[in-house]
Structures are given as structure tokens and as C-alpha cells.
């Protein structure tokens, strides 16, 4: 019994320290934001649909494919405290090239109203280009 206590106490202390560091570092908020974005595919699907309707996008990177779940996990997502507003950046893959989709949206009733949708492209000549799809004041 005393041998198991010698291991139990340090393990409990280490788990307590890890839990404290996780909650105090803001990692909990990041995990919550990613989970919420992962569970709401409409947020990105509608933004991609709007981007695909822009001729400049089609000319530069082609039609953007639907995102996969790893794009969200590899991206950046920040929800407001009440989860009614979001800022996000994810990688998108087009038929001719890749880019980053930046969006800012606010939830109105059960749908998203986009305040900003940009697609950032880095072409082969090392030039960067940002195409604004929506940019409300």
C-alpha cells in the first residue's frame, strides 16, 4: 500500500499542475473556439460559396474546394465571449492554387452575417495579393 501512495501522490500533483496550466494559459478558450467552429460548417461553407462567386478568385486560384475538418484545426478561430461574433483564418485549396481565407462574421438569428471575407494569395512570383470579397465598415 505504501508503494502505491509513493506513485499516487506525484501523479496527482502532476495532473493538478497540468490542469492549472491548461486553464490559466487560455488553451481552454482556444480549444472551445476550435470545437465550436468545427461544429458549425455553415460558417465556412457560406463564405467559400461567396468567394467562389467572385471572378477574381476563379482567375487566381480557381474554384475553392469545400474545407476539410483539418483546415479548421490548423487555422485560427476566435469567438467573442457570447459566441455571436467570430474572426477566423483557414487555408483554402483552389483548383489552380492555394490561399488563406480570412473572415469576420456576426450571428444574426440562426445564420451568419459576414462583415469581412478576404482571400490572401501568394503566387509563384513571390507576390502577395489580397482579394476582398466583402468588407463592411
Amino acid at each position: 500500500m505504501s508503494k502505491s501512495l509513493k506513485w499516487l501522490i506525484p501523479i496527482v500533483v502532476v495532473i493538478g499542475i497540468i490542469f492549472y496550466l491548461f486553464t490559466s494559459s487560455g488553451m481552454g478558450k482556444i480549444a472551445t473556439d476550435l470545437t465550436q467552429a468545427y461544429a458549425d460548417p455553415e460558417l465556412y461553407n457560406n463564405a467559400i460559396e461567396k468567394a467562389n462567386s467572385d471572378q477574381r478568385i476563379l482567375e487566381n486560384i480557381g474554384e475553392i474546394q469545400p474545407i476539410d475538418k483539418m483546415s479548421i484545426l490548423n487555422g485560427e478561430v476566435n469567438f467573442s465571449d457570447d459566441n455571436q461574433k467570430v474572426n477566423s483564418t483557414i487555408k483554402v485549396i483552389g483548383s489552380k492554387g492555394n490561399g488563406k481565407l480570412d473572415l469576420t462574421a456576426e450571428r444574426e438569428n440562426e445564420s451568419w452575417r459576414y462583415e469581412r471575407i478576404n482571400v490572401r494569395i501568394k503566387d509563384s512570383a513571390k507576390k502577395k495579393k489580397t482579394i476582398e470579397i466583402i468588407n463592411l465598415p
Side-chain angles (χ1 to χ4, degrees):
M1 180 102 163
S2 66
K3 287 185 177 184
S4 63
L5 281 178
K6 286 181 182 179
W7 287 105
L8 182 63
I9 292 172
I11 289 172
V12 169
V13 169
V14 168
I15 289 172
I17 291 171
I18 290 171
F19 180 76
Y20 172 77
L21 291 174
F22 183 77
T23 57
S24 66
S25 69
M27 289 299 292
K29 169 98 169 90
I30 293 169
T32 302
D33 288 350
L34 286 172
T35 301
Q36 182 156 348
Y38 190 82
D40 190 356
E42 176 187 319
L43 174 65
Y44 296 106
N45 291 340
N46 292 344
I48 289 172
E49 186 178 308
K50 291 180 186 300
N52 279 335
S53 68
D54 190 298
Q55 189 61 34
R56 298 170 296 169
I57 295 295
L58 299 175
E59 290 171 0
N60 284 279
I61 64 171
E63 185 173 345
I64 298 173
Q65 300 171 5
I67 60 163
D68 60 6
K69 300 298 184 183
M70 289 305 295
S71 295
I72 296 171
L73 295 177
N74 290 328
E76 182 179 330
V77 182
N78 295 307
F79 277 89
S80 63
D81 290 334
D82 62 357
N83 294 326
Q84 295 301 305
K85 191 165 186 168
V86 63
N87 288 306
S88 182
T89 298
I90 60 167
K91 180 180 178 179
V92 291
I93 300 171
S95 57
K96 296 179 187 177
N98 301 332
K100 300 267 184 177
L101 177 88
D102 304 317
L103 66 84
T104 301
E106 187 167 357
R107 185 173 288 282
E108 287 185 350
N109 300 320
E110 295 299 315
S111 62
W112 290 102
R113 181 180 63 82
Y114 297 95
E115 297 174 0
R116 176 180 61 102
I117 299 175
N118 292 339
V119 177
R120 291 181 287 137
I121 302 166
K122 184 177 178 184
D123 68 16
S124 60
K126 303 282 187 208
K127 296 178 184 175
K128 295 180 181 179
K129 181 188 300 188
T130 300
I131 299 173
E132 290 184 352
I133 309 299
I134 296 174
N135 193 7
L136 301 175

